[in-house]
Amino acid sequence: MPFKTVLVTGGAGYIGSHCVVELLEAGYEVIALDNFVNAVGNAEGSPALQRVEQITGKKVTFYQCDLLHKEALEDIFDKHTIDCVIHFAALKAVGESMQQPLMYYQNNLLGMLNLLEIMRRHNCFQLVFSSSCTVYGEPESLPITETHPTGTITNVYGRTKYFIEEMLKDLSAADNAWNIIALRYFNPVGAHQSGLIGEDPTKEFTNLMPFMAQVALGKKPVLTVFGDDYATEDGTGVRDYIHVMDLASGHVAALNLLNSKHLRIKAFNLGTGKGVSVRQLVGVFERVTGAKVPLKMEGRRIGDICAMWADPGLAKEELNWSAKFTLEDMCADFWRWQTMNPDGYPKKLKHSSCNGHSK
């Protein structure tokens, strides 16, 4: 029987909210939960999800809930028949993870354990896990395929993703009921083409494009680039940047595969297959937006990787998915979001009946 209702943890966040758009437009009913560590909102609801409803014309059932609070999570599963879970909710700042490792292990690992236990009690065995290319560590070869070794990781955030993948492998080996896809993201950027949702600049962020846009808006004086002496074309680090809406469509493709095939567990890279340096990205951003982004060069950060980009061939073959948006699209869409919302999401919610479910 096809899935109908999908629980999205971290659904008010940057990637989660864009994924909810794609899920609603694909015909799924969505229940979203968030604890607002990485997103704006409160028990009354989420401005990002209200805008998702504006974009799609469809309703989202929302709960303010922390995965560390098992009773609140259990209550959501008691109230709804959930067919599948897409799990985004996690602490995600690499630098912070190195400074506060116990907080990251508690939140990301214990939160996952609680979710899996409650899913099992409610006979919900379909899961899409938000993993990361960080599980590969320093690449042994490029581009990176899913057969590349994992586990030699340079930061605590990446290790939590790796440990969870290992946990899921053990779980699926012990119980054939589980059907799991781990999506290993490369570097999400961009925003929805409407300009209504995007990465909120008022929340803590360390990603390149939000910083770049804040500098272009005049809210920050300069973009600091860490390392200009890498063995790359221009000395700056190289990454595989993927539009957040391509990432979102990858989750719908993952659900389609889970619907049609019992995999037990399988991992897929979500990337474009193209490596882009920091200087190249800044150059495209300046050309597309007409804004200037002054740079300040500093030394490399400990644990930073020189270059990595995906081989997305397996996702194309088995998920029937490939990235559609160009680097120019990524820059133009993010700039539209930032110029329309220079201070991020409004801090006061509009009155709405759709976000009336909260915990």
Side-chain angles (χ1 to χ4, degrees):
M1 184 176 178
F3 306 151
K4 180 181 178 184
T5 303
V6 180
L7 174 67
V8 180
T9 73
Y14 171 46
I15 299 173
S17 59
H18 289 78
C19 185
V20 171
V21 170
E22 288 290 290
L23 290 168
L24 291 172
E25 293 185 340
Y28 291 98
E29 293 182 9
V30 176
I31 299 164
L33 65 82
D34 210 294
N35 65 358
F36 297 119
V37 169
N38 295 320
V40 174
N42 55 44
E44 298 303 312
S46 154
L49 291 177
Q50 287 189 337
R51 291 186 175 189
V52 165
E53 293 174 337
Q54 182 181 341
I55 291 166
T56 63
K58 298 180 179 180
K59 301 296 185 186
V60 180
T61 300
F62 174 74
Y63 293 87
Q64 183 177 9
C65 177
D66 193 308
L67 296 182
L68 298 181
H69 300 154
K70 291 182 72 173
E71 291 182 0
L73 186 58
E74 187 93 59
D75 186 53
I76 295 170
F77 276 82
D78 286 340
K79 289 179 178 177
H80 303 276
T81 301
I82 296 168
D83 300 309
C84 182
V85 175
I86 299 180
H87 178 47
F88 294 107
L91 296 175
K92 61 178 185 174
V94 169
E96 183 183 59
S97 77
M98 300 298 286
Q99 297 165 357
Q100 302 192 59
L102 292 182
M103 182 174 75
Y104 271 67
Y105 287 130
Q106 180 187 51
N107 185 86
N108 294 3
L109 298 184
L110 185 55
M112 180 84 259
L113 280 169
N114 289 344
L115 178 63
L116 291 170
E117 287 178 0
I118 291 170
M119 287 176 67
R120 183 173 58 185
R121 280 204 291 272
H122 290 264
N123 295 311
C124 177
F125 297 102
Q126 313 291 330
L127 173 67
V128 178
F129 171 56
S130 165
S131 191
S132 166
C133 64
T134 56
V135 300
Y136 295 118
E138 185 77 44
E140 294 182 1
S141 61
L142 292 168
I144 299 172
T145 69
E146 289 82 354
T147 60
H148 187 287
T150 60
T152 308
I153 301 162
T154 57
N155 61 77
V156 172
Y157 163 74
R159 277 193 281 275
T160 67
K161 294 294 187 182
Y162 168 73
F163 291 153
I164 289 172
E165 282 199 17
E166 293 299 295
M167 185 193 308
L168 295 176
K169 288 177 188 176
D170 291 338
L171 181 62
S172 63
D175 186 349
N176 188 51
W178 288 95
N179 200 21
I180 302 167
I181 288 177
L183 296 177
R184 294 171 178 167
Y185 309 162
F186 280 69
N187 290 69
V189 296
H192 190 269
Q193 297 89 331
S194 66
L196 292 174
I197 59 173
E199 190 165 8
D200 195 294
T202 65
K203 301 300 287 187
E204 193 71 27
F205 60 82
T206 57
N207 298 335
L208 175 60
M209 190 167 282
F211 265 109
M212 193 161 52
Q214 289 284 288
V215 172
L217 282 173
K219 290 182 173 290
K220 294 184 182 296
V222 67
L223 175 67
T224 301
V225 177
F226 296 98
D228 62 354
D229 59 349
Y230 287 109
T232 61
E233 185 176 333
D234 58 27
T236 61
V238 170
R239 297 292 183 268
D240 187 339
Y241 297 98
I242 177 173
H243 198 295
V244 67
M245 291 308 298
D246 275 333
L247 202 63
S249 70
H251 292 76
V252 175
L255 289 189
N256 291 340
L257 185 57
L258 289 179
N259 250 316
S260 64
K261 191 174 182 180
H262 190 75
L263 302 167
R264 299 192 80 152
I265 183 167
K266 192 152 191 175
F268 293 93
N269 290 336
L270 293 188
T272 66
K274 299 175 183 177
V276 177
S277 76
V278 173
R279 285 188 185 274
Q280 288 170 336
L281 180 60
V282 171
V284 172
F285 185 88
E286 289 184 328
R287 176 166 53 80
V288 167
T289 65
K292 289 298 180 184
V293 182
L295 304 180
K296 176 185 177 184
M297 298 298 172
E298 290 197 1
R300 302 183 190 186
R301 294 174 297 191
I302 294 174
D304 275 353
I305 288 169
C306 171
M308 63 189 315
W309 62 89
D311 179 340
L314 189 65
K316 184 174 182 179
E317 179 183 347
E318 297 192 22
L319 292 180
N320 194 29
W321 172 93
S322 58
K324 307 296 185 189
F325 293 97
T326 66
L327 197 61
E328 287 79 6
D329 295 329
M330 301 175 208
C331 293
D333 291 341
F334 196 85
W335 187 238
R336 184 181 304 110
W337 149 255
Q338 277 285 254
T339 52
M340 288 175 62
N341 305 271
D343 299 313
Y345 288 110
K347 300 305 176 278
K348 289 187 177 181
L349 294 164
K350 295 180 180 178
H351 292 294
S352 171
S353 60
C354 55
N355 288 328
H357 298 83
S358 60
K359 187 72 178 176

